Amino acid sequence: MIALERLNQQFADGKHIAFVKIGELILAKIDTSVARAMVAVQGAQVVEWQPAHEDLPVVWRANDPLYETGKSIRGGVPICWPWFGDHPTLTLAHGFVRTRDWQLMHVHTAPDHTVSLHWRITDSPDTLALWPHTFELDAIMHIGSDLRIQLVTHNTGPEPFSITQGLHTYLKVGDARSIVIRGLEATYYLDKLKGYARDYQDDMITIHGAVDRIYFGTNHAVEIEDGELDRLIQIDKEGSYSTVVWNPDDRVPSGMRPEESKDMVCVEAVNAADDTVSVAPDESRILGTRISTRRLT
């Protein structure tokens, strides 16, 4: 409990910010007049986010997720870095930072009650054994009436390196089969469920089964129109030229029940597949997302 006590002594304010332990993990609990959220120290992972103007969460998590050391929590916004998806030789999918503890550097509450958290992770002997580069990786999140996350990669080594990465955002919807996803029309995508076959999206996206696609040339906002919940979710992006759309239907991964897939969809700001990011020595690169909502009627 030493880490929990230290975090509460250093950053809790007695009103809106506290640190709690759930299962094996420590989480920051945010509760202000504008939003409620939970963020895990492991992975600097936003687990929940619900702005005050919404009756239901906007960031989705599984009903009964596991809070276990070394395992990403099913839902929220896992940070995938320094590779997105499968590694060509390692069994470790989506990189290694989502299953390691990050250091909380700073907490700030703005006059509008938005809470900002600044997390950091750096290379270690363990990470160098997996990926032979030195780095400093920051996750800067602003939790308020909207949710903003910036992932900042800094190359602290003498050689350039390349990464793929993602903010693997799970979003709560009323019924995945009734939503409409706009903003990815007239773009090409790779279909993971068809052996990464290349195809063309000529219209808005509707979901009628399992979907797992990477859309390219998409650095603009994407919208989810959700008639069941009478809301529109807007996903803005920064430093991202590819977008993942994922719903597993009944092919659910561990930590999720088959019936839960109808309540969620992932629309993710990523750099994936051919959209790689090169980072020169002493250079920084940013991947960002902003999630906001408004009523349809």
Side-chain angles (χ1 to χ4, degrees), residues 189-201:
Y189 65 87
L190 295 181
D191 193 332
K192 184 178 179 181
L193 302 181
K194 296 181 179 178
Y196 291 97
R198 185 179 175 91
D199 208 339
Y200 183 75
Q201 184 74 42

Side-chain angles (χ1 to χ4, degrees), residues 15-29:
K15 297 186 296 182
H16 306 302
I17 305 166
F19 294 83
V20 298
K21 191 168 187 182
I22 303 178
E24 298 174 355
L25 303 184
I26 296 173
L27 296 95
K29 183 179 181 181

Side-chain angles (χ1 to χ4, degrees), residues 29-292:
K29 183 179 181 181
I30 313 298
D31 191 350
T32 70
S33 61
V34 294
R36 295 195 300 271
M38 297 281 278
V39 185
V41 172
Q42 179 177 273
Q45 179 181 347
V46 174
V47 178
E48 304 172 13
W49 171 65
Q50 180 177 342
H53 63 268
E54 292 288 349
D55 294 330
L56 292 170
V58 177
V59 167
W60 177 95
R61 66 157 176 79
N63 287 328
D64 191 23
L66 298 176
Y67 295 88
E68 294 183 354
T69 301
K71 295 183 178 180
S72 184
I73 302 164
R74 180 60 61 191
V77 189
I79 294 173
C80 306
W81 190 97
W83 60 85
F84 182 88
D86 295 330
H87 189 275
T89 58
L90 300 174
T91 58
L92 189 63
H94 288 317
F96 49 77
V97 300
R98 68 192 183 121
T99 56
R100 283 172 163 75
D101 284 353
W102 292 49
Q103 182 181 359
L104 184 57
M105 307 297 293
H106 182 67
V107 175
H108 174 70
T109 303
D112 68 354
H113 303 291
T114 295
V115 174
S116 299
L117 305 173
H118 178 183
W119 304 86
R120 176 171 292 169
I121 190 169
T122 59
D123 56 274
S124 68
D126 286 344
T127 70
L128 290 169
L130 295 168
W131 191 67
H133 302 285
T134 60
F135 66 88
E136 187 175 85
L137 184 64
D138 292 297
I140 301 167
M141 48 193 66
H142 306 281
I143 299 167
S145 57
D146 60 7
L147 174 64
R148 289 167 284 151
I149 304 174
Q150 284 187 320
L151 187 63
V152 185
T153 299
H154 182 64
N155 183 350
T156 60
E159 302 292 335
F161 58 67
S162 294
I163 59 172
T164 55
Q165 56 185 337
L167 297 169
H168 189 356
T169 308
Y170 291 73
L171 297 165
K172 167 72 176 174
V173 296
D175 186 340
R177 296 197 177 215
S178 69
I179 64 173
V180 175
I181 301 174
R182 306 182 189 277
L184 298 172
E185 300 90 337
T187 58
Y188 286 95
Y189 65 87
L190 295 181
D191 193 332
K192 184 178 179 181
L193 302 181
K194 296 181 179 178
Y196 291 97
R198 185 179 175 91
D199 208 339
Y200 183 75
Q201 184 74 42
D202 59 0
D203 202 351
M204 61 191 182
I205 299 170
T206 55
I207 294 174
H208 303 288
V211 176
D212 195 351
R213 300 172 181 172
I214 305 171
Y215 287 83
F216 294 106
T218 56
N219 61 345
H220 47 271
V222 180
E223 295 179 342
I224 302 171
E225 183 180 305
D226 186 351
E228 292 278 337
L229 299 184
D230 185 32
R231 70 182 177 193
L232 184 143
I233 302 175
Q234 180 166 315
I235 303 98
D236 292 280
K237 308 198 306 167
E238 177 184 10
S240 166
Y241 298 93
S242 48
T243 303
V244 165
V245 176
W246 178 65
N247 180 281
D249 195 44
D250 59 357
R251 310 177 186 183
V252 297
S254 61
M256 182 177 173
R257 294 193 293 268
E259 63 272 17
E260 291 184 286
S261 67
K262 73 178 183 62
D263 300 330
M264 54 72 61
V265 68
C266 287
V267 178
E268 310 170 29
V270 303
N271 301 113
D274 294 339
D275 177 24
T276 60
V277 175
S278 296
V279 190
D282 204 32
E283 183 182 30
S284 294
R285 300 292 293 271
I286 295 174
L287 171 67
T289 192
R290 173 179 177 265
I291 312 298
S292 58

